[in-house]
Structure formats: C-alpha cells, structure tokens
Amino acid sequence: MTLTAGTVILTATERVIFGQPAAEALAAEAALLGAERVMLITSRSLRENTDEISRIEAALGARHAATFSGVAPHGPRSDVIAATDMARECRADLIVSIGGGSVTDCAKIVPICLSNDVCTTADMGRLHIQVNAEGQLINPTALPDFRPQSIRTICVPTTLSGGEFNPLSGATDRETGHKQGYEHRLMAPVSLILDPALTRHTPEWLWFSTGVRSLDHAIETLQSFRSNDYCDGLAESALRLLTEGLSRVKADPNDLEARLKCQIGVWQSMLPIIGGVPMGASHAIGHVLGGLCDVPHGYTSCVMSPFVLRWNAEVNGERQKRISAAFGAPGTPAGDLVCDFISSLGMPRSLSAVGVTPDRFAQIAEYTMQDIWGRTNPREITGPQDFVRILETAA
C-alpha cells in the first residue's frame, strides 16, 4: 500500500488571541514584545467614525508612535510607500493593522520595504512574486540580496478576508492595474487579535462578502487534488462554522458569538493555504478582478466561486461531494448550494452585477495566467481561453 505523503508549512505566527477587547489585548502584546514605538495602520472609517482607534492609542500610551489611515482598496503601491515613509520617520519597532484586507496587506508589506530600503512605488517592483512563461513562481524574497524584515506585525482584522493569517500580501500597481503578490515567512504577523465586538462597525456588505471569500478558501481546498486529510478536515470545519456564523449574523448583527464563529472559521480556512494547498481559478481570477476591475475583494468570490465549482465538476465531482456534505445536503451539487447560500446573504451573483462586462474578459484572462494560482486549478488550464470560458459562464 502506498501512503499519502506531503508537507504542511507552518508560519511565524506565535499567538492568536480571541474573544478579548482589542485595546487591552494589543497593549498586552506590545508589552510582551517589548515594543516602544508602535505604529498603527488603520481604516479611515474606524479612525474617523468611531472611538475604537483612539481607545487603542490610549491603551498603548507612551508606546504609541504614529497612526496611518486611509489605505485604498486593493492596497495601491502609493499607499504602501506613504505608510512606509511614516514608519521610517517615526522609527517604528512594531506595525499593527486594524481594519480590512487592504489595511492588513499594507501593514505586512511595510516591514520588508523598510528592511530593503524601498522608497518609491517603482522600487516595489523588485520585491513582488513573478510568474514565468512555464508557470513557475519566482519569489525575490528567496534571493541572496533580499533582507528579511527586522520588525514584526500584529493584525487586528475587522473583516473576514483571512489575509491576516498569511505570509502573503498583495499590492496593486496602479499603472497596469495588476495586483501583485509579496511573500516571506516573517510577513505572517507575530500575533493576531480577533475581537468580534470590533467588527460590529464593519458594513454588512463587507462582512458578508469577505465571509464568502473565506468560504471560498475552504471550497477551493476541498476541490484541490493537492490537499490532504489535515487540510480537508480544517476546510470542512471552516465551512460549517462560516455557514452557521454568517447565517446567524444575517439574522442578528449583534450576535457576538456568531461573529466569533466566523472569525474562527476564517482562521481554519486559511491554514490549508498557508500549509501549501494551492487555490484554483476562483482565487486567481479574483485577484485580477480586484486589481484590474476594482471589484471589492469579497465580491470576487461571490461572483466566481459557484461557476468555478461547476466548471471543475467534471474532473473533481467526487471531492465536491465533501463540500455538499459540509453544507448539509450531500445529494445536491456543490455549485448550486454555494450559489444559493451567497444569494441568501444578499450578495451579487454575476460579473455584470459588479460592473465587469465581456469586453474585459480577454485582458482578465491574460492577467490571470500570470497569477500565482493561475496554473493550479483542479481542471487543467490550457491557456487564457479557458479563463474566458469560465468568465462567460459567470457573465
């Protein structure tokens, strides 16, 4: 008998604190790490429309060095450089993100910009992952002249996109509209703080759409032929936690236990990706829809996940039965279940609903071929025309 063999990759994250107020937990973490100059990178809405950021600044006291806010969606390079300039000026020794996915991505990239003397948006081009003609990933952070970061990040997420758990981040080159990946083991935060009370400020559309994004992490894990029992188990649990939690929050936005279930589900959905399970066409197309077409991060999975499931079903139908079972309907096609669930949350269900028209499909497909997961879909991608066919089904 041949045993299944594999490797599960772990990150440099040391602690996940959940169910505690963010201000208290962050102050304790900063003290534990011996940080004396903490820089916050926050969403503008949290800073301007609530007292959450001022409470966190007060809890940090003399340890608080500066606060940067206003990272635009999809993390433009210009915002990353502006945050890096502030971190350099205030001599930050710890970076903290408080907000959604773009804020998180920015905060994770800033430390490698600092350590590698990146001062302009053009300089960022030498650090991002590239894909060659054969589909192989070229990561500059693995090269001898790359200098690992000397300071770490703590992430306090307010959405469910899940990037806070990952040593991978994205930033968008506004000149080309291409969102590019940056990855290094130390880019994973040293610790995370999951405070469900803080998420009550998150707009409903953002909470549910990013929840679908993490649902898609679990779905693409269970679709993948490169997963394993460890990762499949996490993905199945994540699906159950997220479907229950999202449904309960839809019924009662003040259900903090349900919000925490969503956050734990996000954590579980991310571990397979971090562990080495590649995502498929839904994520690859989603990256491009975000950077090129300005589709919100969560909406990309809302409009792609069911259609990718249906396109893949002819090759991974048996694995998709596990998805159906996790939804509590083992005899129903997974694509239909996911479609109905997304609809129940009031999320968009087509590319046209998010402003993406067929005249963009060819360019989207070409860019997707260059994505880190452009060649790892369960059903083989033979060229841009396959991505066009998937996009046409989602039109």
Side-chain angles (χ1 to χ4, degrees):
M1 181 178 68
T2 303
L3 291 176
T4 300
T7 300
V8 174
I9 301 166
L10 304 179
T11 73
T13 296
E14 298 176 5
R15 288 172 298 284
V16 179
I17 300 103
F18 56 90
Q20 299 179 31
E24 297 172 15
L26 181 56
E29 281 297 289
L32 179 65
L33 294 168
E36 297 180 352
R37 304 194 61 77
V38 181
M39 175 175 157
L40 308 180
I41 300 181
T42 79
S43 72
R44 178 173 281 121
S45 60
L46 273 179
R47 190 180 189 189
E48 295 181 354
N49 302 326
T50 78
D51 64 354
E52 300 288 359
I53 303 305
S54 61
R55 288 169 58 194
I56 289 172
E57 292 171 342
L60 288 170
R63 297 181 192 274
H64 174 241
T67 298
F68 180 92
S69 61
V71 181
H74 311 297
R77 286 184 179 184
S78 56
D79 288 349
V80 176
I81 292 300
T84 300
D85 289 343
M86 180 180 285
R88 191 177 284 121
E89 183 177 349
C90 76
R91 296 178 289 112
D93 60 4
L94 178 68
I95 305 293
V96 178
S97 72
I98 309 167
S102 296
V103 170
T104 299
D105 278 349
C106 177
K108 287 160 58 185
I109 297 172
V110 164
I112 65 168
C113 289
L114 289 172
S115 63
N116 288 275
D117 299 323
V118 171
C119 297
T120 68
T121 56
D123 283 346
M124 291 181 66
R126 58 187 168 91
L127 295 180
H128 72 76
I129 298 169
Q130 300 180 43
V131 181
N132 66 18
E134 291 73 39
Q136 298 169 320
L137 301 185
I138 302 170
N139 189 348
T141 67
L143 299 177
D145 60 347
F146 174 79
R147 295 194 295 273
Q149 63 200 71
S150 57
I151 65 174
R152 298 295 301 276
T153 302
I154 292 176
C155 293
V156 187
T158 58
T159 67
L160 299 172
S161 58
E164 59 272 7
F165 291 95
N166 208 338
L168 172 70
S169 285
T172 299
D173 180 348
R174 284 301 194 198
E175 291 186 10
T176 64
H178 202 170
K179 190 172 186 178
Q180 296 149 331
Y182 299 76
E183 183 177 28
H184 187 270
R185 182 173 181 271
L186 291 177
M187 284 176 62
V190 64
S191 56
L192 294 104
I193 297 168
L194 307 180
D195 177 3
L198 192 63
T199 71
R200 289 179 297 182
H201 302 291
T202 303
E204 181 182 88
W205 74 268
L206 186 56
W207 179 258
F208 290 126
S209 65
T210 55
V212 173
R213 183 68 170 175
S214 281
L215 202 74
D216 200 13
H217 299 333
I219 287 167
E220 294 223 293
T221 294
L222 289 171
Q223 284 200 78
S224 177
F225 293 121
R226 292 167 62 178
S227 188
N228 53 66
D229 288 342
Y230 172 77
C231 293
D232 284 349
L234 288 166
E236 287 180 359
S237 178
L239 281 181
R240 292 187 173 95
L241 285 169
L242 284 163
T243 52
E244 177 188 350
L246 290 168
S247 297
R248 283 174 54 178
V249 174
K250 183 69 174 177
D252 178 9
N254 292 314
D255 187 340
L256 293 186
E257 182 185 46
R259 287 180 176 273
L260 185 57
K261 282 184 180 292
C262 291
Q263 290 181 305
I264 300 298
V266 171
W267 182 8
Q268 290 186 333
S269 79
M270 283 301 301
L271 291 176
I273 303 175
I274 295 166
V277 178
M279 297 291 95
S282 181
H283 278 73
I285 294 170
H287 290 157
V288 177
L289 290 176
L292 183 64
C293 304
D294 205 30
V295 178
H297 193 56
Y299 279 173
T300 63
S301 286
C302 293
V303 301
M304 292 312 308
S305 180
F307 301 103
V308 171
L309 275 163
R310 290 166 178 161
W311 196 76
N312 285 336
E314 69 177 54
V315 301
N316 67 356
E318 283 300 309
R319 284 193 61 78
Q320 289 196 25
K321 290 179 180 178
R322 302 183 70 155
I323 299 170
S324 299
F327 272 88
T332 304
D336 294 349
L337 291 168
V338 175
C339 183
D340 290 346
F341 183 74
I342 294 170
S343 295
S344 75
L345 299 175
M347 294 295 99
R349 288 297 312 108
S350 67
L351 287 168
S352 61
V354 294
V356 179
T357 51
D359 60 295
R360 308 295 301 275
F361 288 178
Q363 187 180 20
I364 293 167
E366 289 290 345
Y367 275 30
T368 306
M369 290 296 294
Q370 302 171 46
D371 188 80
I372 59 172
W373 289 318
R375 318 291 179 89
T376 56
N377 191 62
R379 180 175 170 183
E380 184 183 2
I381 299 294
T382 60
Q385 70 278 0
D386 287 335
F387 286 124
V388 171
R389 292 187 185 105
I390 297 171
L391 292 165
E392 288 172 344
T393 67

